Amino acid sequence: MKLTPLHEKVTQRMQPGVLCLEGFLGEDRRPLPEIIDADSSAVAGMGLTHEQIADELSVVLRHAMAAMGTPVEVQQDLSAVYTEAMGRIPSPWPGEGVFAKGEAELTDTRTGTTVRFTPLSVHLIRAHGFYEGKGARYRLAPRTIAAMLRLI
Amino acid sequence: MTALYIILISAGVSAALSVLLATLLIVAERYLVNYGQCKIDVNQGAKEFDVRGGESLLAVLRNENIFIPSACGGRGTCAYCKCKISAGGGPLSPTETPLLSEEEIAKDIRISCQVKVREDVKLEIPEELLLVQEFTAEVERIRDLTHDIKELRLKLIDPPRIEFTPGHYVQLEAPAYEGNPEPVFRAYSISSPPEDAEHLELIVRLVPGGICTTWVFQHLSEGDDVHFTGPYGEFRLSETDAPMVWIAGGSGMAPFWSLLRHMKTHGIERQTRYFFGAVSKRDMFFLDEMKQLEEELSWFRFIPALSGDEPEGEWDGERGLITEVVGRHVDSGDGLEAYLCGSPGMIDASIAVLHEKGIPDERIYFDKFA
């Protein structure tokens, strides 16, 4: 797949050590549009939109941030804790501003499933349908996160 | 099949030509374009110098030992290296626009690493930045304060002494290392008192996936040389004698640890209640040191609080979010000054409580980790 200049630039900014130590793609070797297309298909296949998932994650983030590092139950059997960190991180897509660096850890206490995401993750899902590459620290597999948020 | 080959070859040739053209433009910009000598005027003549045009303004200033805070090393991503350019900055670049507010753009604020010097430039920066120096130091001691917080004690080498005010911060350089291709700079409040001018102490909390903190936690050793610039910042004790409330969490301890020892040394006696929040006991540190100072200083009280579910018997201090604890202890904000250092969430929530207590914004001073 041929990448557009924008996708080339974004892919470069997603590499480890450019904007953050581990980057955004994990061990995923697929081209960026392919990662986005596959996750978009998965989201559409569940009858959902990226906006719905981003909205729910925003709610979780808001509750967790208000608890200042203390675990909080955001829904029944769903606990979240937000760890704040110094500084801000820009979006890999140029010109989209900077985002707080902290991370939320979301745990489904029924199944023990845990995922982590950041304010930037929510933006990337909403604006680009990008859930990060497989193996990335903040990868949110659409089906996993949709199930945890009780959207399916 | 032949048509497919032709298409593929055409695409390949086209891509190769694009790369060649881009490379030629970069080479031409670097070696052939001559912007000549450009005059840089900082703060209306406070400092003037001539440079050969072509470099970024941030780099030019750094070469002249003027250190504007920057975290990303000039990649145009952190938006810290802002300055006012009244003449010669050229048009606003597309990389700057998203990092500036409309108000900043109207006031000629620019991102200095994205401004290329092509003509004479007049700029304005805070006066204190002209006093910032670049330091080399040796790591004298690294000690664990908690499971994810370390204290660095640095012995200054060149220059051998530093002058600063409690509340100031420095920009520590994390060099390139495996996984991090280019140096970056991160801001840390100074935690040592200014009286110990030959040393500098910093409190560093591990950021998961953070470039600088990973370097500190996994690569930095005692005996290593480090580089930093400083001092920076406007967070400092006012010159009143108003009673104070301090609120901090995590590595937000740093400026208060510096300030408290400075106040003790100089006999500055202002009624002070220091609220320090953590989730669990394993996140607490300096409890013994604070208790000792409470006994020595009649005007000082330390109020640590845990927000997590620490088992009964494990903790006999305050419990709850630090904002709730402040709410319980502070009846009225009349005449009080408040000083805050920590995460944006903690500071925003604390400011809301302080407002409820009647403390106006002009008596709330904070150092936000942002």
Side-chain angles (χ1 to χ4, degrees), chain B residues 294-322:
Chain B
E294 267 191 326
E295 287 170 6
E296 293 175 21
L297 308 170
S298 61
W299 47 267
F300 175 65
R301 189 167 167 221
F302 183 60
I303 304 158
L306 297 184
S307 60
D309 295 326
E310 202 71 18
E312 286 297 328
E314 292 289 313
W315 177 253
D316 58 4
E318 289 285 341
R319 288 174 184 269
L321 295 178
I322 197 65

Side-chain angles (χ1 to χ4, degrees), chain B residues 230-271:
Chain B
Y232 299 95
E234 296 165 357
F235 182 65
R236 68 194 63 178
L237 194 65
S238 75
E239 291 180 357
T240 72
D241 57 2
M244 297 183 286
V245 168
W246 297 351
I247 307 173
S251 55
M253 168 71 83
F256 298 117
W257 186 225
S258 170
L259 180 57
L260 192 53
R261 290 181 285 170
H262 173 73
M263 290 172 73
K264 179 187 168 187
T265 302
H266 291 274
I268 301 169
E269 298 187 1
R270 287 176 62 174
Q271 289 301 315

Side-chain angles (χ1 to χ4, degrees), chain B residues 100-109:
Chain B
L100 296 167
S101 67
E102 286 181 16
E103 190 184 354
E104 286 175 323
I105 292 171
K107 288 181 177 172
D108 298 323
I109 303 296

Side-chain angles (χ1 to χ4, degrees), chain B residues 107-124:
Chain B
K107 288 181 177 172
D108 298 323
I109 303 296
R110 302 289 297 270
I111 306 293
S112 65
C113 71
Q114 299 300 301
V115 174
K116 189 167 273 193
V117 176
R118 296 186 170 99
E119 56 187 318
D120 293 352
V121 176
K122 290 184 177 180
L123 71 140
E124 289 171 37

Side-chain angles (χ1 to χ4, degrees), chain A residues 103-140:
Chain A
E103 68 173 28
E105 189 174 279
L106 183 66
T107 303
D108 187 330
T109 51
R110 287 179 317 185
T111 63
T113 309
T114 294
V115 294
R116 288 177 292 207
F117 65 98
T118 67
L120 175 58
S121 310
V122 180
H123 166 77
L124 295 176
I125 290 172
R126 189 189 302 284
H128 306 286
F130 179 63
Y131 294 74
E132 304 212 2
K134 288 177 182 169
R137 179 179 181 83
Y138 300 117
R139 163 75 178 165
L140 293 173

Side-chain angles (χ1 to χ4, degrees), chain A residues 2 8-9 12-13 15-23 64-71 81-103 116 118 137-138, chain B residues 11 15 75-80 94-95 98-99 148 177-182 184 186-189 205 207-211 214 251 278-279 307-309 321-323 343-347 349-350 369-370:
Chain A
K2 179 159 169 53
E8 275 180 10
K9 183 169 188 175
Q12 193 276 328
R13 284 162 64 96
Q15 299 306 309
V18 179
L19 298 180
C20 58
L21 194 60
E22 298 173 26
M65 286 171 115
M68 288 185 273
T70 309
V81 60
Y82 184 76
T83 307
E84 299 221 46
M86 280 179 68
R88 295 170 293 170
I89 183 168
S91 168
W93 271 266
E96 296 188 345
V98 291
F99 299 81
K101 260 191 183 172
E103 68 173 28
R116 288 177 292 207
T118 67
R137 179 179 181 83
Y138 300 117
Chain B
R75 295 175 188 162
T77 56
C78 73
Y80 289 167
T95 49
L99 302 174
D148 67 351
Y177 61 92
E178 190 181 347
N180 175 45
E182 289 181 43
V184 297
R186 294 290 183 266
Y188 294 98
S189 291
R205 184 177 192 177
V207 176
I211 293 173
T214 299
S251 55
V279 175
S307 60
D309 295 326
L321 295 178
I322 197 65
T323 45
S343 62
M346 188 278 279
I347 286 186
S350 298
F369 293 171

